[in-house]
Amino acid sequence: MAPEQNRPDRAGFVRPASLREMAGLLCALCLPVRGTCLPLHATGRRRQASPREQPQRSGSTVQHMITVTAGILSDGDRVLICQRRAGSPFPLKWEFPGGKIEEGESPEACLHRELSEELAIEAEVGPEMYRTEHRYPGGFAVRLLFFRILRSSGTPTNHAFERIEWVRQADLCAYDFLEADRELIERMVRGEVT
């Protein structure tokens, strides 16, 4: 008799009922910062990992590294922050808008595309202002590239988040940010990164 579908077997493994469901479980592991794998779920096809997504060796284990861009939009002393949806990986955590770099895409082009999709704005992406790498429990890692947004046209409209808010830079530590963003947040509050 086969183990019951969608319940852990004796070894603790969940057996998904379908390949699409299995892909959803994998996407929750490999795309923790920006949600589901849109190319896979939108088309039902699997895509090849780009060089930016290739697994990285760490000691004797292989860790999956993805590269993500994020934009720092300012309005005077305030910056725009976004809260992840309740049903997404890392539910209700705060982050800066942006997303995962697609195959053949530059970081700047990625951020321009993501800001258009998520917030319906056209942005002029400025220089990279901060870079960090973070390893989450469970074997995946993220490389985050933060860019200053020099100008944008249009009013940010929420198309992808639970909420968006303009927050004073000095108040950023009061929000529950993703772990990978916290080092930058602390530096911004101290005035080390502007």
Side-chain angles (χ1 to χ4, degrees):
M1 185 168 165
E4 187 175 334
Q5 298 295 325
N6 296 322
R7 292 199 182 255
D9 62 15
R10 284 188 282 187
F13 293 104
V14 174
R15 308 270 185 216
S18 69
L19 288 175
R20 182 175 280 300
E21 192 174 318
M22 184 185 307
L25 291 172
L26 293 173
C27 287
L29 294 173
C30 71
L31 300 176
V33 177
R34 298 291 175 232
T36 62
C37 177
L38 295 178
L40 174 65
H41 288 111
T43 65
R45 290 179 303 200
R46 195 169 204 186
R47 64 180 180 81
Q48 294 291 343
S50 72
R52 291 184 175 99
E53 301 172 293
Q54 294 300 322
Q56 305 291 314
R57 289 228 172 255
S58 173
S60 62
T61 62
V62 174
Q63 303 221 339
H64 193 74
M65 174 75 73
I66 61 170
T67 302
V68 173
T69 61
I72 309 299
L73 286 89
S74 299
D75 181 16
D77 70 338
R78 300 180 313 155
V79 293
L80 186 70
I81 61 173
C82 306
Q83 188 178 38
R84 297 176 62 78
R85 291 188 191 253
S88 70
F90 303 104
L92 304 178
K93 295 283 188 181
W94 290 89
E95 64 185 354
F96 294 105
K100 188 174 147 214
I101 298 174
E102 292 182 356
E103 180 70 32
E105 190 175 45
S106 73
E108 294 83 0
C110 167
L111 188 53
H112 185 270
R113 174 184 53 77
E114 289 284 347
L115 294 175
S116 177
E117 292 171 2
E118 294 177 349
L119 300 172
I121 61 172
E122 291 299 314
E124 182 181 337
V125 178
E128 183 178 321
M129 59 182 280
Y130 193 76
R131 177 183 291 227
T132 189
E133 291 183 3
H134 183 79
R135 297 202 185 285
Y136 283 95
F140 59 84
V142 62
R143 177 179 300 118
L144 279 159
L145 311 176
F146 295 92
F147 291 85
R148 173 80 51 209
I149 302 304
L150 301 176
R151 285 177 280 290
S152 63
S153 62
T155 301
T157 304
N158 183 4
H159 290 286
F161 303 100
E162 193 77 23
R163 304 184 315 189
I164 62 174
E165 288 187 24
W166 287 99
V167 177
R168 285 180 4 145
Q169 193 164 311
D171 296 333
L172 286 171
C173 285
Y175 291 82
D176 188 16
F177 273 85
L178 289 167
E179 287 179 37
D181 291 354
R182 290 182 188 159
E183 183 179 318
L184 173 62
I185 298 298
E186 291 169 9
R187 288 177 174 227
M188 289 175 74
V189 169
R190 290 192 306 258
E192 297 173 6
V193 175
T194 57

